[in-house]
Amino acid sequence: MAVLIFLGTVFAWLGLVEPVIGKGLLSTVLMTLVALALGGAFVAHRKRQARKLLESVR
């Protein structure tokens, strides 16, 4: 799922943000950082949910 979030961010970035910023290294670096942050946040969120679920079962 994190990979899908990453890919969705890339496509959204290319369609919405890239025309405003312009093509270049800065846009690519920013896109990668945003996509990694969103994917990482999703993984962290799911990890917290799993821990809560395990604690409630014990």
Side-chain angles (χ1 to χ4, degrees):
M1 188 67 168
V3 172
L4 292 176
I5 291 173
F6 185 87
L7 290 175
T9 303
V10 168
F11 285 119
W13 187 278
L14 291 174
L16 301 172
V17 179
E18 182 103 9
V20 176
I21 292 180
K23 297 180 180 178
L25 182 62
L26 176 63
S27 178
T28 304
V29 169
L30 288 175
M31 175 182 60
T32 303
L33 291 175
V34 168
L36 286 173
L38 289 175
F42 173 77
V43 169
H45 173 71
R46 294 298 288 204
K47 191 173 182 178
R48 266 182 267 133
Q49 279 186 331
R51 281 190 180 154
K52 281 184 181 179
L53 180 64
L54 284 175
E55 289 174 1
S56 69
V57 172
R58 290 182 188 177

